[in-house]
Amino acid sequence: MFQKYGKALASTFFAALIVVYTVASGDNHIDPTEWVAVAIAAAGAAGTYVVPLAPGLRWGKTAVNTLLAVLQVLATLILGGLDSNEWILLLLTAGQALGVAVAPAVSDNGIGSKSPVAAG
C-alpha cells in the first residue's frame, strides 16, 4: 500500500500533524489564521492524492505539494508574522513537501514516481 500511495500518505500524515499542532499550540483552539494553515495542508494532501503520475510529469505530485508549501510560508509571513509557533508550523510544512518528494507512488495508469520512462 505504501508503494502505491506513499506520496499521498506522507502528505496526509504531515497535514494531520499540522492540524494537531495548531490545536495543541497556544490556546487549544484553531484561530482564523491557523485555519488557513490547516486548509493549505489539507489541500496539499488532497492534491497529492488526486494528481496522477504521467510519464512526462512524474514530479506532478511533488510540484503540487511544493507550491502549497510556498503558499503556506507566504500566508504565515503575511497573516501572522514569525514567532516560535510559526517556525514549527513551517518546519512541519517543509516536512510535508519533503515527504512527498521522497515517498514512492504508482498511479492507476501504472506509472510510478521512481520507474524509468519507457522509450517511445
Side-chain angles (χ1 to χ4, degrees), residues 40-73:
I40 292 172
T48 302
Y49 177 75
V50 171
V51 171
L53 292 170
L57 194 63
R58 293 175 189 275
W59 45 267
K61 291 178 182 287
T62 302
V64 165
N65 216 278
T66 301
L67 174 66
L68 288 163
V70 169
L71 289 175
Q72 183 75 277
V73 170

